C-alpha cells in the first residue's frame, strides 16, 4: 500500500473517531451510547491494523485484534447486560446541557490541535497528524465524565478516554510494547467487571445510580 | 564469657519474646503478671551488666545485622556512651519490673494487663535498640518503635478522656520531633556521600563528613529541636505533664527516668560524636534552653497539686539541669579545655544516672500512693506516714535526692555542675561570659525551689492529717512494690556515698567524647575525697558526711532515749488550737501561694472566689467556692496559634471536598489542562 494512501486512510479514520467522540457527547439514549462506543472501538481497531500494515509492525495486528474483541464485542456486551439487569432505559441525564457541552468540546479540540502543533512539525511518522485527534478524544472522554450524572455514562466516558489514550499510543509511537498493551487490555476488562459489581452495590445502597446520592458519603463538619 | 554486646542483644531478644508470650498468654493474667515481669527484670539485669562492662573496659563493638532494605543492612555499635545509657535503662528497668509484679495486680479484674505487658517490653527493647543503632535508618526505626510503644502505654487506660488527649499530644510532638531528626540525618548523610548515594546513612560515614559551617549548624539545630521535643525541653515540654500522669505509674517511672535520657543521648551522639562541636554557640544554645527549662520547670512543678504532674514538671527541671551540664561541656570542648569538658560531661552523665534512679523511685512511690488510695491529687491525701510505713521513708529518700541534699546522690551531681560553673575561665564572646554567672545563679535558684517543691510533695502527702473521705481504707503496698522502691532508694544512697567509684567507672565516656577525663584527678586524694579538678579548689567527702550524719542522729537519739523524754502524741498540724478538722490544714494550694505571688508573671493564673450559700448573715456567708486555674503561658503563646491555624487551614481545604464525583473529576481535568498549557 502506498504510504500516502495509508496516511490518508488513517486521517479519515481519525476524523471518524473524533466524530464518534462527539456523537457520544450528543447521544441521549444509553443503548445508542453503547452502539457508538462499539463503533469507535471498531474504527480504532481498523486504524491500528492499517498503521501496523503500512509500518510493517506485526505486533500491532495483535493489538488490533485485542481492541476488536474487547472494545467492540466484550465491553459493550458486558455493559448491555448490566443495563438490562439494572433496568436502565431512561435518557442520559447531563449536568450541563448538550449544546454547551458541544461548544466546550469544540474548544477542547482546537486546544488539542494547538497543543500538538509542535509535535506535528517535528515528527516524521505517517500518523503524526492524528495525535491531535487522540488528545481530543481523551479530553472529550473526560468532559463526558464530568458532565454526566449517571454512573453508567461515566463508565462509557472513561472507556472512550482509554480509547483516546490507545489511539495516542499508536499515532505517536506506533503503539506501546505488546506486554504493556496486553496489561492495559486486561486492566480494562477487569475494570469493567469491577464497575459492574460497584453498580449493583451503589444501587442497593442508594437505590439509585445517580451520583448525586453519593454526596451523602461526605463527612459532615 | 559472652561479650557485652551479646549480653545486650540477648536481653533485647528476651524482651521481644516476652511481649510475644504476653500476647499469647493473655488469658492467664495472674500468672502472666508474675512471669512477664520476672523475665523483664532478668533481661534488664542482663542489659545493665552488658552496659556496665562496656563502660568499665571502654570497649567498642560493632555488628552488622543483615536485614532491612536491600544493600542497606542495620549497623549496630556498642561503645562507652551507649553502654552508659544501656546500664541506666537496665538498672531502672530492673527496679521497675520488680515493682510492676505488685503494681499490676491493681489492674487485675478491672482490665486486661496483656497490652500493657506487650508494649512495656517492646518499649524497653526499643530504647535499647535506639542506643545500639549505628545508622540513621535503624535509629529512626528504633526511635519510632520506642515512641509508638510508649504511646500505647500512655493510652492504656483509654476510657478516660484526658488520657486520650494526653496520648494524642504525646504522639503528635513525638512525630514532629522525629521528622526534625530525620531531616537532620538527611543533611548529614547528604554531605557524607552526596545526594545520589545511600551510603551516607551510617553514623560512621556521617562522622567523616565534611560540612560547611552553615549546613552543620542547620543540621545540629534540627537534631537539637527534635531531641529536645522528646526530652521535654521548654517550650516543647507540653506533652510531658500530660502524658506522665496518664500512664500507669511503672511506665511513668520508665518514661521519666530513662526515655527522656535517650533524647539526651541523641544530642550527645550528634553534638559530640558525629559533629565534634565546631561552633561555640551550639553549647550556648543548649545551656540557655537548659536554664530556661530548669527554672520554669520547677516553678510550674511548684504550682501543681497532682502528685504525678508535679513529678513530671520536676523531670522538665532535671532535664534542664542535664542540658546545662551538656551545654557547658560543649562550650569547653569547643575551647579544647579537656579536663573541664570532661568534668561537665561527667556531671551531666552522673546527673542522668541519679535522676533516673530517684525519679524512678519517686514515680514508684507515687504509684504506691495511687495504688493504695486511688487518689492522685495531694489535696485529698495526707497523713500517709502512719498508714504506709514503708513507702513514706522510701519516698522521702527520693525527695531528699531530688532536692540535692547530702548524703544522697542528687547532691553529688549538682555539686559537680556547680564546680564546672565555678571553674569556668574567661570565654570568648561577651554573651557567653554573661551567661555563665547568670546560669550558676539560676541553677542555685532552681535547686532551692526544687527543695521547696519536694517539701510540699512529702509534707502534704505524707504528713498532717488525712484529707480524703473518712471511709477510705489505706493499706501498705505489697512486697514486690516495696522491693523495687527499696532497691532504688538504696541505689540513691550508694550513688551518693561512693561518687569516686561512679566517676571512675563512667570516665571512659568523656574520654572517648572530649578527649579528657577526670577519673584520675577525682580520686587523687584517696577514695574518701572527691576532688573534681584539684584538692585546693574543691573537695567533698561523701562517706565522711554520711558517717557524720549517722553519728549525730544516733547520738541525739541516744541522748533523748537516755534522758527518758517521753513522746507526747497530739493531733498533727493543729497549731495548738483544739478542735481543728482536717479540712483546716495547710494544703498543697496554700503551700504554693507565696511562690504564686512572687513568680506570678510566669503563669497565667485565674483565681475566683464565689459565695455558694449565704444562709444567715450576709456578711459572713456560710460557704465559699475558691477556684484556681494555673497554666503555663507557653500553651497560649506557642501552641494555641499553631493549632488554631491548622484547624483554620483544614476547614478551608475541606471546602474543596464536595462529595460530588463530577467536581473531583473537574479538578483533575482543570489540572490536566493547566499543566498542558504551561508545559
Amino acid at each position: 500500500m502506498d504510504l500516502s494512501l495509508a496516511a490518508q486512510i488513517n486521517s479519515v479514520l481519525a476524523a471518524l473517531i473524533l466524530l464518534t467522540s462527539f456523537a457520544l457527547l450528543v447521544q441521549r439514549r444509553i443503548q445508542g451510547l453503547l452502539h457508538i462506543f462499539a463503533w469507535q472501538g471498531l474504527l480504532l481497531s481498523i486504524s491500528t491494523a492499517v498503521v501496523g500494515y503500512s509500518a510493517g509492525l506485526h505486533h500491532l495486528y495483535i493489538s488490533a485484534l485485542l481492541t476488536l474483541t474487547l472494545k467492540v464485542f466484550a465491553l459493550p456486551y458486558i455493559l448491555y447486560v448490566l443495563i438490562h439487569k439494572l433496568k436502565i432505559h431512561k435518557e442520559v441525564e447531563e449536568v450541563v446541557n448538550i449544546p454547551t457541552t458541544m461548544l466546550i468540546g469544540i474548544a477542547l479540540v482546537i486546544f488539542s490541535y494547538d497543543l500538538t502543533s509542535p509535535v506535528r512539525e517535528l515528527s516524521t511518522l505517517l500518523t503524526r497528524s492524528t495525535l491531535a485527534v487522540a488528545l481530543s478524544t481523551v479530553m472529550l472522554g473526560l468532559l463526558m465524565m464530568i458532565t454526566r450524572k449517571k454512573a453508567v455514562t461515566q463508565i462509557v466516558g472513561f472507556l472512550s478516554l482509554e480509547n483516546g489514550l490507545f489511539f495516542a499510543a499508536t499515532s505517536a509511537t506506533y503503539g506501546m510494547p505488546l506486554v504493556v498493551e496486553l496489561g492495559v487490555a486486561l486492566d480494562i476488562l477487569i475494570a469493567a467487571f469491577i464497575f459492574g459489581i460497584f453498580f449493583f452495590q451503589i444501587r442497593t445502597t442508594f437505590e439509585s445510580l445517580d451520583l448525586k446520592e453519593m454526596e451523602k458519603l461526605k463527612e459532615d463538619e | 564469657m559472652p561479650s557485652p554486646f551479646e549480653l545486650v542483644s540477648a536481653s533485647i531478644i528476651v524482651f521481644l519474646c516476652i511481649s510475644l508470650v504476653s500476647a499469647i498468654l493473655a488469658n492467664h493474667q495472674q500468672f502472666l503478671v508474675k512471669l512477664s515481669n520476672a523475665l523483664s527484670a532478668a533481661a534488664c539485669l542482663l542489659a545493665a551488666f552488658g552496659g556496665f562492662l562496656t563502660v568499665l573496659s571502654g570497649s567498642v563493638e560493632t555488628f552488622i545485622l543483615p536485614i532491612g532494605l536491600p544493600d542497606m543492612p542495620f549497623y549496630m555499635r556498642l561503645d562507652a556512651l551507649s553502654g552508659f545509657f544501656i546500664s541506666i535503662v537496665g538498672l531502672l528497668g530492673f527496679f521497675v519490673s520488680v515493682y510492676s509484679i505488685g503494681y499490676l495486680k491493681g489492674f487485675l479484674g478491672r482490665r486486661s494487663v496483656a497490652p500493657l505487658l506487650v508494649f512495656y517490653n517492646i518499649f524497653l527493647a526499643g530504647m535499647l535498640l535506639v542506643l545500639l543503632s549505628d545508622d540513621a535508618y535503624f535509629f529512626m526505626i528504633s526511635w519510632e518503635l520506642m515512641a509508638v510503644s510508649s504511646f500505647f502505654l500512655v493510652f492504656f487506660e483509654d476510657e478516660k478522656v484526658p488520657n486520650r488527649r494526653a496520648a494524642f499530644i504525646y504522639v503528635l510532638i513525638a512525630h514532629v520531633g522525629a521528622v526534625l531528626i530525620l531531616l537532620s540525618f538527611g543533611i548529614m548523610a547528604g554531605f557524607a556521600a552526596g545526594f545520589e548515594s545511600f551510603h551516607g546513612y551510617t553514623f560512621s560515614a556521617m562522622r567523616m563528613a565534611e560540612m560547611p559551617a552553615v549546613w552543620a549548624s542547620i543540621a545540629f539545630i534540627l537534631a537539637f529541636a527534635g531531641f529536645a521535643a522528646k526530652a521535654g525541653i521548654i517550650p516543647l515540654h507540653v506533652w510531658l505533664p500530660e502524658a506522665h500522669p496518664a500512664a500507669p505509674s511503672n511506665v511513668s517511672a520508665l518514661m521519666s527516668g530513662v526515655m527522656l535520657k535517650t533524647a539526651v543521648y541523641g544530642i550527645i551522639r550528634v553534638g559530640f560524636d558525629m559533629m565534634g562541636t565546631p561552633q561555640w554557640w551550639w553549647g550556648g544554645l543548649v545551656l540557655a534552653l537548659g536554664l530556661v527549662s530548669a527554672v520554669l520547670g520547677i516553678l510550674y512543678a511548684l504550682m501543681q497539686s497532682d502528685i504525678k504532674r508535679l513529678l513530671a514538671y520536676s523531670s522538665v527541671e532535671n532535664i534542664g539541669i542535664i542540658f546545662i551540664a551538656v551545654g557547658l561541656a560543649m562550650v569547653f570542648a569547643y575551647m579544647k579545655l579537656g579536663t573541664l569538658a570532661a568534668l561537665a560531661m561527667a556531671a551531666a552523665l552522673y546527673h542522668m544516672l541519679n535522676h533516673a534512679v530517684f525519679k524512678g523511685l519517686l514515680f514508684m512511690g507515687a504509684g504506691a500512693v495511687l495504688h493504695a488510695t486511688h487518689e492522685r491529687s495531694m489535696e485529698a491525701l495526707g497523713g500517709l506516714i502512719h498508714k504506709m510505713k514503708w513507702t513514706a521513708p522510701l519516698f522521702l529518700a527520693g525527695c531528699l535526692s531530688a532536692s540535692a541534699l547530702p548524703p544522697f546522690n542528687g547532691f553529688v551531681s549538682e555539686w559537680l555542675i556547680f564546680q564546672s560553673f565555678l571553674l569556668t575561665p574567661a570565654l570568648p564572646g561577651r554573651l557567653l561570659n554573661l551567661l555563665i554567672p547568670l546560669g550558676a545563679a539560676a541553677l542555685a535558684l532552681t535547686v532551692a525551689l526544687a527543695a521547696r517543691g519536694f517539701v510540699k510533695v512529702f509534707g502534704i502527702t505524707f504528713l498532717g492529717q488525712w484529707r480524703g473521705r473518712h471511709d477510705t481504707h489505706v493499706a501498705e503496698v505489697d512486697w514486690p512494690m516495696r522491693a523495687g522502691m527499696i532497691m532504688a532508694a538504696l541505689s540513691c544512697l550508694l550513688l551518693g556515698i561512693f561518687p569516686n567509684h561512679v566517676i571512675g567507672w563512667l570516665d571512659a565516656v568523656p574520654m572517648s567524647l572530649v578527649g579528657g577525663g577526670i577519673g584520675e584527678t577525682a580520686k587523687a586524694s584517696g577514695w574518701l575525697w572527691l576532688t573534681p579538678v584539684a584538692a585546693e579548689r574543691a573537695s567533698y567527702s561523701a562517706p565522711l558526711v554520711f558517717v557524720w550524719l549517722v553519728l549525730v542522729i544516733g547520738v541525739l537519739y541516744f541522748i533523748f532515749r537516755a534522758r527518758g523524754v517521753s513522746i507526747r502524741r497530739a493531733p498533727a498540724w493543729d497549731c495548738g488550737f483544739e478542735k481543728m478538722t482536717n479540712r483546716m490544714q495547710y494544703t498543697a494550694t496554700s503551700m504554693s501561694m507565696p511562690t504564686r505571688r512572687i513568680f506570678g508573671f510566669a503563669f497565667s493564673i485565674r483565681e475566683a472566689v464565689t459565695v455558694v450559700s449565704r444562709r444567715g448573715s450576709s456578711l459572713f456567708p456560710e460557704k465559699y467556692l475558691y477556684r484556681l486555674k494555673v497554666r503555663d503561658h507557653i500553651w497560649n503563646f506557642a501552641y494555641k496559634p499553631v493549632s488554631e491555624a491548622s484547624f483554620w487551614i483544614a476547614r478551608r481545604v475541606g471546602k474543596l471536598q464536595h462529595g460530588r464525583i463530577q467536581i473531583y473529576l473537574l479538578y483533575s481535568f482543570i489540572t490536566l489542562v493547566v499543566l498542558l498549557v504551561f508545559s
Side-chain angles (χ1 to χ4, degrees):
Chain A
M1 200 191 295
D2 188 15
L3 271 185
S4 65
L5 182 64
Q8 276 172 21
I9 293 175
N10 211 32
S11 295
V12 171
L13 287 170
L16 288 173
I17 286 175
L18 190 58
L19 190 67
T20 50
S21 283
F22 273 101
L24 283 174
L25 278 181
V26 182
Q27 180 57 257
R28 285 170 191 273
R29 291 182 58 83
I30 289 180
Q31 302 267 359
L33 214 57
L34 288 184
H35 285 138
I36 297 169
F37 174 70
W39 277 109
Q40 196 180 40
L42 184 65
L43 290 169
L44 191 64
S45 160
I46 296 169
S47 150
T48 314
V50 169
V51 170
Y53 179 77
S54 59
L57 292 168
H58 297 292
H59 78 261
L60 283 181
Y61 291 140
I62 302 176
S63 300
L65 204 66
L66 264 176
T67 314
L68 191 72
T69 47
L70 265 182
K71 287 176 184 159
V72 183
F73 299 112
L75 287 175
Y77 177 72
I78 291 172
L79 287 173
Y80 186 81
V81 170
L82 262 177
I83 288 165
H84 257 267
K85 286 219 169 139
L86 292 168
K87 297 192 178 62
I88 308 166
H89 300 291
K90 285 205 304 193
E91 285 188 21
V92 174
E93 287 174 56
E94 66 278 347
V95 183
V96 184
N97 66 16
I98 285 177
T100 320
T101 321
M102 289 283 281
L103 285 176
I104 298 172
I106 290 166
L108 284 174
V109 173
I110 295 169
F111 174 66
S112 306
Y113 266 92
D114 180 52
L115 208 65
T116 49
S117 58
V119 183
R120 257 178 291 138
E121 280 163 24
L122 289 175
S123 174
T124 53
L125 299 181
L126 69 111
T127 49
R128 61 186 177 274
S129 56
T130 54
L131 189 60
V133 175
L135 191 59
S136 319
T137 316
V138 172
M139 298 263 199
L140 293 175
L142 207 51
L143 183 65
M144 186 170 163
M145 286 175 82
I146 294 170
T147 52
R148 294 299 135 94
K149 277 186 186 166
K150 290 287 166 72
V152 182
T153 40
Q154 292 208 312
I155 299 312
V156 177
F158 172 77
L159 292 171
S160 135
L161 184 153
E162 208 279 329
N163 277 349
L165 281 177
F166 185 85
F167 193 49
T170 19
S171 57
T173 63
Y174 287 153
M176 294 172 275
L178 192 62
V179 185
V180 179
E181 253 165 50
L182 284 174
V184 172
L186 192 68
D187 279 352
I188 293 288
L189 196 62
I190 289 171
F193 282 114
I194 293 175
F195 290 144
I197 295 164
F198 264 90
F199 286 159
F200 280 106
Q201 288 295 333
I202 292 170
R203 214 184 50 163
T204 45
T205 315
F206 298 105
E207 300 187 340
S208 157
L209 273 179
D210 196 330
L211 291 174
K212 207 165 184 302
E213 300 288 324
M214 289 173 80
E215 281 180 44
K216 289 176 194 160
L217 291 176
K218 188 189 166 194
E219 214 174 319
D220 284 320
E221 276 176 32
Chain B
M1 179 72 196
S3 74
F5 182 82
E6 283 161 5
L7 289 174
V8 178
S9 30
S11 79
I12 293 173
I13 293 167
V14 173
F15 285 131
L16 294 177
C17 290
I18 302 170
S19 60
L20 201 69
V21 169
S22 306
I24 294 167
L25 288 179
N27 287 331
H28 307 78
Q29 298 267 320
Q30 228 153 16
F31 172 65
L32 186 63
V33 166
K34 285 187 192 124
L35 174 82
S36 159
N37 283 313
L39 284 175
S40 307
C44 282
L45 265 191
L46 212 61
F49 189 56
F52 176 78
L53 286 182
T54 315
V55 180
L56 196 66
S57 61
S59 61
V60 177
E61 280 181 86
T62 53
F63 185 75
I64 298 175
L65 199 64
I67 52 175
L69 291 179
D71 202 28
M72 288 176 85
F74 291 150
Y75 289 81
M76 295 164 97
R77 184 164 183 266
L78 178 62
D79 59 4
L81 179 63
S82 40
F84 176 78
F85 282 89
I86 285 171
S87 36
I88 296 184
V89 174
L91 186 69
L92 187 64
F94 173 64
F95 299 154
V96 172
S97 297
V98 172
Y99 171 88
S100 301
I101 297 175
Y103 184 73
L104 292 190
K105 279 187 197 147
F107 290 112
L108 291 181
R110 283 200 289 141
R111 59 191 308 132
S112 171
V113 292
L116 183 75
L117 289 168
V118 169
F119 290 113
Y120 178 84
N121 286 293
I122 294 180
F123 179 48
L124 280 167
M127 283 194 286
L128 292 180
L129 286 173
V130 164
L131 299 170
L132 277 184
S133 55
D134 194 36
D135 66 69
Y137 172 45
F138 192 30
F139 185 91
M140 290 318 293
I141 290 179
S142 319
W143 188 261
E144 286 297 305
L145 195 66
M146 179 177 87
V148 171
S149 55
S150 51
F151 162 75
F152 282 109
L153 291 172
V154 173
F155 203 69
F156 179 59
E157 288 175 271
D158 56 358
E159 71 277 359
K160 294 174 192 151
V161 178
N163 291 7
R164 294 202 294 267
R165 188 182 122 89
F168 172 71
I169 293 178
Y170 169 55
V171 82
L172 183 72
I173 294 187
H175 278 104
V176 171
V179 168
L180 295 176
I181 297 168
L182 190 63
L183 288 176
S184 162
F185 282 151
I187 293 174
M188 287 193 272
F191 280 100
F195 287 100
E196 284 79 34
S197 159
F198 283 121
H199 294 286
Y201 80 106
T202 61
F203 284 172
S204 52
M206 290 180 194
R207 276 186 202 104
M208 300 294 155
E210 291 287 328
M211 295 175 75
V214 178
W215 280 105
S217 299
I218 292 173
F220 177 74
I221 287 177
L222 284 172
F224 177 64
F227 288 122
K230 193 72 176 183
I233 281 291
I234 289 176
L236 297 168
H237 67 290
V238 285
W239 63 271
L240 210 146
E242 306 291 332
H244 286 203
S249 295
N250 56 342
V251 176
S252 344
L254 274 188
M255 282 176 75
S256 186
V258 290
M259 188 188 77
L260 304 184
K261 308 298 186 303
T262 58
V264 185
Y265 164 80
I267 287 173
I268 295 179
R269 180 64 81 197
V270 170
F272 285 92
D273 186 22
M274 283 156 65
M275 293 187 156
T277 325
Q279 308 270 336
W280 70 264
W281 59 265
W282 293 7
L285 180 76
V286 177
L287 177 60
L289 280 172
L291 281 171
V292 171
S293 298
V295 176
L296 284 182
I298 194 63
L299 279 177
Y300 294 144
L302 274 169
M303 291 301 117
Q304 308 305 320
S305 54
D306 177 330
I307 183 163
K308 284 177 82 177
R309 249 180 113 83
L310 192 153
L311 292 177
Y313 270 118
S314 153
S315 292
V316 174
E317 172 233 332
N318 277 290
I319 285 289
I321 292 176
I322 292 165
F323 270 53
I324 290 172
V326 172
L328 276 178
M330 289 179 101
V331 172
F332 295 144
Y334 166 73
M335 296 177 62
K336 306 273 179 277
L337 297 168
T339 318
L340 276 178
L343 172 61
M345 178 62 88
L349 296 172
Y350 204 159
H351 197 67
M352 269 183 264
L353 177 59
N354 291 340
H355 178 242
V357 177
F358 72 65
K359 192 49 66 69
L361 170 60
L362 286 170
F363 266 114
M364 284 193 271
V369 170
L370 189 62
H371 186 87
T373 62
H374 301 291
E375 183 60 62
R376 252 170 30 198
S377 168
M378 286 190 275
E379 311 286 14
L381 296 169
L384 289 178
I385 196 166
H386 300 296
K387 293 169 181 165
M388 303 179 81
K389 285 193 166 35
W390 282 88
T391 310
L394 295 171
F395 196 83
L396 180 64
C399 289
L400 289 174
S401 310
S403 319
L405 290 176
F408 285 95
N409 58 357
F411 175 77
V412 184
S413 46
E414 293 190 19
W415 184 75
L416 284 174
I417 298 175
F418 273 113
Q419 288 307 323
S420 34
F421 265 121
L422 297 175
L423 295 170
T424 309
L427 294 173
R430 212 168 283 167
L431 197 66
L432 209 56
N433 273 328
L434 189 70
L435 200 59
I436 297 290
L438 231 144
L443 184 61
L445 176 68
T446 307
V447 176
L449 287 173
R452 183 177 161 67
F454 283 99
V455 167
K456 169 176 159 177
V457 178
F458 189 77
I460 302 294
T461 312
F462 287 95
L463 306 181
Q465 292 177 25
W466 176 247
R467 293 181 181 79
R469 293 156 53 104
H470 289 290
D471 52 354
T472 317
H473 173 70
V474 180
E476 178 59 283
V477 292
D478 60 2
W479 270 107
M481 290 173 77
R482 279 185 235 173
M485 289 190 282
I486 289 170
M487 286 189 290
L490 272 182
S491 322
C492 281
L493 193 62
L494 292 177
L495 286 171
I497 298 179
F498 300 109
N500 275 0
H501 299 82
V502 181
I503 286 175
W505 168 65
L506 58 78
D507 207 38
V509 185
M511 274 290 189
S512 66
L513 291 178
V514 295
I518 56 163
E520 289 304 313
T521 51
K523 57 175 189 238
S525 314
W527 68 272
L528 213 50
W529 290 91
L530 172 65
T531 50
V533 175
E536 54 275 17
R537 291 301 296 264
S539 56
Y540 166 63
S541 172
L544 284 184
V545 170
F546 178 65
V547 170
W548 264 109
L549 276 173
V550 170
L551 269 181
V552 169
I553 292 171
V555 166
L556 283 178
Y557 182 78
F558 190 73
I559 290 172
F560 280 117
R561 257 317 170 57
R563 280 176 56 197
V565 178
S566 63
I567 297 166
R568 190 171 61 88
R569 288 204 177 272
W573 291 14
D574 74 343
C575 305
F577 294 102
E578 280 192 32
K579 307 237 188 275
M580 293 268 292
T581 69
N582 57 3
R583 291 184 56 236
M584 296 177 188
Q585 286 175 90
Y586 212 34
T587 63
T589 311
S590 45
M591 186 148 181
S592 56
M593 189 274 225
T595 328
R596 214 158 47 231
R597 289 286 170 274
I598 300 168
F599 295 101
F601 59 88
F603 317 101
S604 69
I605 301 174
R606 262 189 292 163
E607 244 176 328
V609 180
T610 41
V611 178
V612 176
S613 132
R614 210 184 262 285
R615 209 167 46 192
S617 159
S618 63
L619 287 175
F620 301 102
E622 197 187 32
K623 242 183 182 174
Y624 283 108
L625 189 66
Y626 173 73
R627 273 175 215 273
L628 173 69
K629 206 170 162 133
V630 183
R631 294 195 77 169
D632 42 28
H633 278 314
I634 292 153
W635 183 266
N636 289 337
F637 285 151
Y639 288 85
K640 229 174 165 187
V642 174
S643 87
E644 276 171 8
S646 43
F647 275 117
W648 186 82
I649 293 169
R651 272 197 301 276
R652 288 295 127 101
V653 174
K655 288 199 175 151
L656 280 176
Q657 195 190 358
H658 284 269
R660 289 188 66 173
I661 290 180
Q662 282 92 353
I663 303 282
Y664 296 149
L665 285 170
L666 194 63
Y667 292 148
S668 327
F669 186 65
I670 289 170
T671 315
L672 178 72
V673 170
V674 167
L675 285 178
L676 282 173
V677 168
F678 293 104
S679 61

